[in-house]
Structure formats: structure tokens, C-alpha cells
Amino acid sequence: MKEAEIRKQYKKKIDEINQHNKLYFEKSSPKISDSQYDKIKKDIFDLEKKYSYLKSASSPSNSLGYTPSKNFVKSKHRVKMLSLSNAFDVEDLENFEKKIFNYLNKKIDIDYSVEPKIDGISASLTYKNGLLVMGTSRGDGTTGEVITENLKTINDIPHKITNKDFPKDIDIRGEVFIEKDDFKKLKNDFANPRNAASGSLRQKNPLETKKIPLNFVAYTYGYFESNKIKKQSDFLISLKKWGFKINEHNKILKTIKDLEIFHKKFENDRFDLKYDVDGLVYKINNLDLQNRLGFTANSPRWAIAHKFSADSAYSIIKDINIQVGRTGALTPVARIKPVNIGGVVVSNATLHNEDEIIRKDIRLGDTVKVERAGDVIPHVVLVDLKKREKGSKKFIFPNNCPSCGSETIKEFNKTTKKYDAVRRCTNEGYDCEKIAIEKIKHFISKDAMNIDGLGKKVVENFWDLNLIRFPQDIYNLDYNKISNLEGWGDLSVSNLKYSIDQSKKVSLDKFLYAIGIRHIGIENAKLLAEHVKSIKNFINLVNKDKFNEFLDIDGIGETQINSLKTFFENKLNYKIIEKLSSILNISDLKLNKDGKLLNNTFMFTGKLSNISRAEAKSLIEENSGSVVSSVNKKLKYLIIGEKPTNRKVQQAKELGIKIISQKEWLNLLN
Ligand code: IVH
């Protein structure tokens, strides 16, 4: 059969299953028996197994092929459910510790709570006065889906806890997972145990969840009213006492050397476990220290996941395509002969950038080793030169953007004094089709406008149909037209409309992140938002070309300023923002307005003792103050550490700014 024919057949099956899903989930009136339904599902799996290029967002191999997520009520987590950053080797662990020492501005001995990282789905359980009142999925980390009834079907989850010392109000968090043996029985329905757990948990009918043997292991807390516990290890002991299961391999270790030895041993032993483990989690055991270290945008500074090494396999490069990213970066991707790596069929592997191709001398037709670790994108590690065919030619990286034909360049990095490894399209605007699509995908993403009814695939589809060209088009969609498109029904259209409407209310920092200015990530967008306070002020500053004002912000440097300038040199970008600000309700950043340092600005000069600049800055901000990076009239206090810069002290004196010591500053805070 020809590929086109196979695709057609596949699509027919997918449409068929979608139809039945709809009848079952939305209308609760199935028209076929369970076994007929299973047969269609199996046909789809068989096709996917045989032809790895077949993929569909609504395939049953993606969880249950049906996302009833929009049907679940959502709830904002009282404390965010963040993810962990990853370490792959000792160097990563050393860097992790180094960052902690830098943050604290001193070296300390650390006790780590070491816990196996079970590869499942995290869930949060809210107990009030001993009763399980709500259970949620992680969702986007800020807001989860309320799946209480489904979670209640899990035997490991207590509904009522009567211990006297059980907190009055607490979120218990842990992992929902399925054991390997139980998964064997479900192999035909799900790609891996993790998908099985996820699919089962998000069933609309809790009785369906009950059919699949799920387990729950507790490991942390979210909200915790008047927490008196001092150590993670003590918290784990309490969890057990209160009736939760905890992992039997949790332990305390002290040095990176110890972590490394345990990791090596556990990596080999893990195959004897009843469940899948994809690494170890190391958490600083002292909870006060955890609090002091806090979080970066996405993950805690006090914990890291040490992944087990990647699985790998050999395959042949059939083609090399160049992908164009949101910021114009050209990324070469190898299309390889499909190969099974650790249970997942891989047909694409990243080659990172032009320099990597040159360094490894990767060519079409080469036999290459491909590695894959957990959720990380598979990549080519090396070329088997013995297998290289005679007459093979070096791969020539294109000089022009494959999407819009513009010239491409490698930028010169002033700090490293080197040219970038990444080649970029010079277009960087909405005139380059691929960049435009990626910009819109970024705009809708979770950390940006968070329009969950509009996935990446839908954006591509809407682009092809000429429904979207710019972000503002999202707010002017022709829903009648969409409801007539294949795969769309009344419910999915109303869900889409709902999530687009919901996204209209957005905080300034998320909006500034969403518009996708290079070098303005979540953290920098927050800094800008805190500084300008309202979208009106932001537009005003841009209008007056007053970008240098941002140099006052501690954390914003020349790279960001130049990027802002380049972005707004393109008048279209300005128009888009103006247009969006008239459609959206962009709220000012909610600042903590009841702290002791409200309306006070600070600046540091010289080395502080026993505290890093970063921690000092967050202390000030937690107390409603702000930190600036230059001496000017707006500055109220200059805090002097060891060996201050004389020029700054002099300037401060001239402007009559209060000059205080670290001790005096801490006194202001009590
Ligand atoms: S602590 C901010 N402990 O790993 C703290 N997570 O990328 C995050 N996980 O979403 C949670 N075992 O699903 C923690 N012992 C453990 C864990 C664990 C597995 C998962 C969890 C989380 C992800 C972090």
C-alpha cells in the first residue's frame, strides 16, 4: 500500500473512534459494544506500530485518545506544583550545589533526602479537619483539574485521617502510578505505564478509574497550615504514621560522592522494582533551608532530579530537515529509520545546530547512535564511521532560511567573544511563516496566555486554513466556520471559545512574556512588569524610545535592552501590542503591598556577608520593596557591603541618598 493510502485508512479509523468517543463521553449514548470499540482501537495501534509516521493528537495511544480535561472543573493550587530541574551527571550535581552555596554566600554541609523518582502522574490531595475534600491533577502547575472522585478510588489514598497530630489544613502531594505487572494486562490500550495512569485518572467516570489498579506514594506537601516539622525525612515519617504509603527506598545521604554511589547502584537495581523509576530526587532535608532557598521560575533551588542514563540504539539517517524556531534559530533534525529505544519508537533525532553537524561530521546515510532519556528529545551522539558509505558527501547547512529565504547569520557574543553555534533567520518577524507559527504557539502556551483549547496542532491547522496570521486573530475567530471543520463539534468549539475568552484576562508579566521578545523569559517579563506597572506605561516608554530606563532594573542588562530595541524597530510588533492591549484586559502585576519596605528602593554595593545578592533581593521584594541597579534620584537606600564601589557611594552622597550598612538594612526588616 502507498503511504497516502495508509494515511487515509488511518485517518478514517481515527475519525471513527472520535465519533464513538463523542457518543460515549459527551452524549453518554454509545452506539457500539465495548469489544467493537476495542477492535477499532486495536486497528489504530497496529497501524501505528507498523508505520511510525502515523500520528494523531486524537489517537488512543495519547492517553485515552480523548481529552475530557475540559469537562473537569479547574482549581487554582494554593501552592504551585512546580517541576524539578534535571541532572544527568556529577558535573550537574556539583553545579546544583554550587548554586546553593552562591545563593547562601557560604559553603555548608548538606543532608539530602534521597527519593526514587517514580514515573507517574503527580496529584495533590487537600485534607481539611482530617477529611479528603479535594484531589487535583498538576495541570499547568498553577491550576489543576478537580479529580477527587477518581482519586478516591485509589486504595492507597485515605479518605479520613484521625491522628491527633494530622494538620487541620494541608495539601498532601505524591505520585499516582501503575505497577509494571498490572500494565502488562493493559499493554494493548496504552503506550506505557505512565500514560495508563494518566488516562485512567482523567476518566470522566470514576468507575472506569477503579478498573485500573492505581497506586499512590506521598512525598511532599503544598499548603501546610502551621507546619512545625523541621525535616523532609520527618515529614515522610509522619506521612507513614498518618496512613500514606511512602517509598521504601527513601534515605538520607550527605555528599555528592555518596549520591553518585547510590545512584549507580540504584540504576542497576531498578529493574527489580515493581514500578518504573526514571531517576532519583535529591531534596535538601532541612525545611527551613528549603524555605530560604525558594524557587526560580519553574523549579525549586533546593531539589534536583538525577536521571538514569539514557537508552540508546543505532539507526540510519534518511534525511536532515532544518526547523525554524520562534526566535529564528535553525535546528537541524535527522529523520532516521524508526528504531525502538527503551520502549519508544523514535524516528526523529535532533542534531542541535550547524556546529554540531560539523564537529561530528554527520552526513546523510550515516549510521548513528541515538540516545533518549525520559522526556528529553532524542539526539544523535556519534557517527559509526566504519559503516559510512564510500562517496558520501559532507552535509551543507543552508545559508538561507528554508521558510522565508532570508539570509541567516551567526551572532557574535560580546561576552564569550565567540560566534554563536546557532544560525538564525534574520527575519525574526511575522514575515517568515515558520517563525510566525512558532510565535503564535508561544503566545498560547501554558506560561504565556495559557489557551488550552488551542493546542499547537490546532494553531498549525488554523494557519493552513488562513484563520490565523497574528496573535490578535485568535480573538476574532470565525466560530461558525470552525464548527464546520472536520473534527470539530459544538462542544469542542464552545470549549475553544471559552478558553480563548478566559485568556483575555491576563497579568502584565504573562502578557509581556507572551509577545515573545527574545531574551525576555518569564523572570525578565516579571521584572519589566514590576517596573512599568501597567501596559499603558510600557507602551508609553516604548513610544518614547526610553528603553534605557530598564537598565535601572536589577537583572536587566544590555542584551535584553538591545533585544527590546530590535523588537520594536519592527513597527508591526508595536501594532500587534497596541491591538492586543485594546482587546485584552491586562491587569497590573499584583505586588505584595503590605510589606515593611513598601515604596522603598534599595541598591547594593560591595560584598554582603552570609547572604547572596539574589537572596537579599528576594528578601526586599517579599517585603514590598524594590531593588534598582543604578544610583539615581529614585534610589532611597544604598546598602554598603565589604569593599563598596567608591564611585557609587560618592554619587549617593551627592544626591543625598541614605547610605546604610547591611546590619542597618536588616534592622529595617527586624
Ligand atoms: S517533589 C517542587 N518528589 O517528579 C517539588 N517529585 O519534575 C516537586 N516525582 O511533578 C515534587 N517522585 O511528578 C518530588 N519523590 C518525589 C518525586 C517527584 C516523582 C515527580 C513529580 C513531579 C516531577 C518533578
Side-chain angles (χ1 to χ4, degrees):
M1 238 191 303
K2 286 232 175 65
E3 186 175 321
E5 192 61 32
I6 294 161
R7 282 190 193 273
K8 209 168 134 197
Q9 197 184 35
Y10 177 71
K11 189 172 174 303
K12 206 174 136 217
K13 295 266 174 214
I14 294 276
D15 287 348
E16 209 176 327
I17 205 144
N18 273 340
Q19 182 65 26
H20 292 298
N21 277 334
K22 211 170 186 174
L23 288 168
Y24 180 81
F25 290 107
E26 285 173 21
K27 308 228 156 71
S28 297
S29 63
K31 293 262 176 325
I32 52 172
S33 70
D34 281 5
S35 61
Q36 282 168 313
Y37 179 88
D38 288 344
K39 169 81 176 62
I40 309 173
K41 219 156 63 174
K42 188 168 179 305
D43 290 347
I44 292 175
F45 286 139
D46 288 348
L47 280 169
E48 283 174 353
K49 252 183 219 155
K50 207 158 155 197
Y51 309 103
S52 63
Y53 54 81
L54 293 176
K55 240 183 245 147
S56 164
S58 46
S59 159
S61 51
N62 289 323
S63 73
L64 271 189
Y66 193 78
T67 15
S69 72
K70 289 160 215 136
N71 298 330
F72 286 110
V73 173
K74 299 212 168 143
S75 166
K76 194 163 183 228
H77 299 302
R78 293 190 284 185
V79 173
K80 274 194 185 183
M81 288 181 85
L82 294 166
S83 52
L84 295 167
S85 50
N86 291 328
F88 294 96
D89 51 32
V90 177
E91 206 185 321
D92 292 342
L93 293 180
E94 281 164 353
N95 276 333
F96 166 72
E97 248 188 17
K98 217 183 271 167
K99 277 190 204 148
I100 293 175
F101 297 155
N102 281 343
Y103 193 84
L104 301 173
N105 216 358
K106 65 172 177 208
K107 259 188 151 169
I108 49 161
D109 290 327
I110 300 178
D111 278 358
Y112 288 105
S113 171
V114 178
E115 304 161 21
K117 185 168 181 296
I118 298 182
D119 196 10
I121 297 294
S122 52
S124 185
L125 309 167
T126 302
Y127 289 87
K128 288 194 177 167
N129 299 316
L131 286 182
L132 173 58
V133 292
M134 183 166 72
T136 53
S137 67
R138 177 173 182 272
D140 65 0
T142 305
T143 309
E145 295 158 334
V146 178
I147 47 168
T148 319
E149 295 311 313
N150 298 21
L151 286 165
K152 274 186 174 171
T153 66
I154 301 174
N155 283 335
D156 297 339
I157 295 182
H159 296 190
K160 191 176 170 185
I161 297 166
T162 49
N163 300 55
K164 283 220 169 66
D165 64 341
F166 187 65
K168 292 237 155 0
D169 188 357
I170 187 170
D171 301 328
I172 304 279
R173 292 178 175 172
E175 205 76 359
V176 175
F177 63 98
I178 181 163
E179 291 189 350
K180 289 189 239 177
D181 275 347
D182 289 323
F183 174 66
K184 278 189 195 142
K185 297 173 215 153
L186 300 164
K187 241 190 172 125
N188 287 332
D189 292 342
F190 300 99
N192 54 45
R194 190 168 188 273
N195 280 7
S198 159
S200 164
L201 254 193
R202 296 166 78 245
Q203 285 289 328
K204 232 177 117 184
N205 180 355
L207 291 175
E208 289 295 316
T209 306
K210 210 176 161 62
K211 281 186 194 163
I212 295 178
L214 294 173
N215 307 274
F216 181 80
V217 155
Y219 48 64
T220 193
Y221 52 85
Y223 180 82
F224 189 163
E225 194 182 83
S226 40
N227 177 9
K228 299 253 157 42
I229 298 177
K230 291 277 172 224
K231 288 177 187 169
Q232 164 71 4
S233 50
D234 291 341
F235 179 68
L236 291 170
I237 292 169
S238 297
L239 280 171
K240 195 165 178 191
K241 198 170 62 186
W242 298 330
F244 292 94
K245 290 232 169 88
I246 58 170
N247 197 291
E248 68 268 30
H249 300 284
N250 293 340
K251 63 186 318 181
I252 300 285
L253 291 172
K254 284 183 188 295
T255 63
I256 291 190
K257 186 93 211 132
D258 292 343
L259 296 177
E260 195 193 341
I261 294 167
F262 184 67
H263 187 265
K264 221 176 217 155
K265 183 170 159 15
F266 206 86
E267 183 161 20
N268 283 322
D269 295 349
R270 74 180 145 139
F271 301 101
D272 301 330
L273 296 176
K274 286 193 185 140
Y275 42 83
D276 279 338
V277 172
D278 62 349
L280 292 170
V281 180
Y282 307 146
K283 298 175 185 165
I284 290 199
N285 199 34
N286 180 325
L287 296 181
D288 284 336
L289 194 49
Q290 281 191 10
N291 279 335
R292 201 176 146 192
L293 288 165
F295 299 83
T296 64
N298 299 311
S299 52
R301 286 195 189 86
W302 44 264
I304 196 158
H306 191 182
K307 294 282 185 129
F308 293 132
S309 63
D311 292 311
S312 67
Y314 281 86
S315 180
I316 294 169
I317 298 191
K318 296 199 303 193
D319 200 0
I320 295 176
N321 296 150
I322 310 291
Q323 285 179 350
V324 187
R326 171 170 72 88
T327 56
L330 306 190
T331 306
V333 177
R335 309 290 172 204
I336 58 170
K337 195 167 158 242
V339 58
N340 188 317
I341 311 180
V344 172
V345 178
V346 175
S347 44
N348 302 316
T350 179
L351 302 170
H352 301 296
N353 53 52
E354 182 181 10
D355 282 10
E356 277 287 299
I357 297 191
I358 297 172
R359 204 166 56 79
K360 293 177 184 154
D361 187 17
I362 295 165
R363 305 180 185 192
L364 284 177
D366 271 352
T367 299
V368 289
K369 185 179 179 186
V370 178
E371 254 183 25
R372 184 198 141 252
D375 41 13
V376 186
I377 303 169
H379 63 280
V380 168
V381 242
L382 57 87
V383 177
D384 185 348
L385 287 174
K386 284 187 283 214
K387 296 217 170 113
R388 175 169 285 168
E389 285 180 16
K390 273 199 191 111
S392 89
K393 290 197 181 71
K394 274 200 190 310
F395 178 77
I396 311 282
F397 205 87
N399 268 327
N400 293 80
C401 171
S403 166
C404 68
S406 298
E407 196 194 330
T408 63
I409 49 156
K410 285 185 170 183
E411 289 172 357
F412 187 74
N413 185 322
K414 277 191 197 149
T415 329
T416 60
K417 301 213 161 41
K418 276 186 196 153
Y419 279 96
D420 251 0
V422 176
R423 191 173 270 286
R424 279 173 206 281
C425 168
T426 44
N427 203 316
E428 251 221 79
Y430 285 84
D431 312 325
C432 174
E433 175 170 333
K434 287 279 187 278
I435 295 181
I437 298 174
E438 293 307 314
K439 275 180 184 285
I440 298 171
K441 286 184 191 167
H442 169 78
F443 183 79
I444 61 156
S445 63
K446 272 184 187 168
D447 289 329
M449 302 301 286
N450 191 18
I451 311 182
D452 65 354
L454 192 67
K456 289 184 178 175
K457 284 271 167 275
V458 182
V459 168
E460 283 172 13
N461 188 227
F462 284 6
W463 179 279
D464 290 342
L465 295 167
N466 222 338
L467 289 169
I468 314 185
R469 282 292 173 270
F470 302 105
Q472 62 266 35
D473 298 339
I474 294 171
Y475 299 97
N476 201 11
L477 285 172
D478 182 345
Y479 291 107
N480 267 334
K481 206 167 171 181
I482 295 170
S483 63
N484 288 323
L485 296 174
E486 226 182 88
W488 289 88
D490 291 346
L491 186 81
S492 46
V493 170
S494 78
N495 280 334
L496 175 68
K497 195 164 176 291
Y498 178 77
S499 66
I500 289 176
D501 280 344
Q502 287 274 307
S503 78
K504 281 188 185 161
K505 203 171 167 295
V506 62
S507 63
L508 180 61
D509 57 324
K510 293 215 167 190
F511 175 74
L512 293 179
Y513 172 68
I515 52 181
I517 306 167
R518 207 172 145 210
H519 300 299
I520 305 295
I522 304 172
E523 293 282 355
N524 284 338
K526 229 178 236 166
L527 293 176
L528 289 180
E530 278 167 10
H531 183 83
V532 296
K533 303 207 168 55
S534 72
I535 184 68
K536 209 170 124 212
N537 288 343
F538 183 76
I539 292 179
N540 253 335
L541 283 177
V542 170
N543 255 331
K544 293 188 188 135
D545 232 348
K546 281 192 173 168
F547 294 104
N548 284 344
E549 184 172 309
F550 296 137
L551 276 174
D552 282 350
I553 308 172
D554 197 24
I556 299 286
E558 227 175 284
T559 314
Q560 287 76 23
I561 302 289
N562 286 337
S563 174
L564 278 158
K565 283 183 186 161
T566 321
F567 185 84
F568 285 107
E569 266 163 23
N570 184 341
K571 289 290 161 266
L572 182 60
N573 281 333
Y574 180 76
K575 278 199 189 127
I576 290 175
I577 287 172
E578 228 180 10
K579 181 90 203 147
L580 282 170
S581 68
S582 72
I583 301 171
L584 305 172
N585 173 3
I586 306 170
S587 57
D588 304 354
L589 198 72
K590 272 195 210 89
L591 290 178
N592 172 9
K593 286 210 171 114
D594 43 17
K596 287 193 192 76
L597 303 181
L598 187 66
N599 296 331
N600 285 319
T601 47
F602 296 84
M603 185 178 150
F604 300 102
T605 175
K607 189 173 177 297
L608 302 173
S609 65
N610 283 330
I611 183 169
S612 67
R613 282 276 179 94
E615 188 178 5
K617 183 167 180 272
S618 44
L619 254 178
I620 289 178
E621 286 166 354
E622 273 163 27
N623 288 284
S624 318
S626 60
V627 178
V628 297
S629 62
S630 67
V631 183
N632 59 37
K633 278 181 290 185
K634 280 183 238 157
L635 179 64
K636 192 148 176 201
Y637 295 99
L638 181 68
I639 304 167
I640 308 275
E642 214 181 296
K643 291 193 192 145
T645 313
N646 283 333
R647 186 179 40 84
K648 288 183 185 161
V649 181
Q650 200 51 44
Q651 275 175 338
K653 274 185 187 157
E654 279 162 20
L655 291 169
I657 289 159
K658 285 182 199 153
I659 299 172
I660 57 171
S661 67
Q662 180 176 346
K663 195 157 168 251
E664 285 168 306
W665 164 59
L666 288 170
N667 282 343
L668 288 179
L669 279 165
N670 279 345

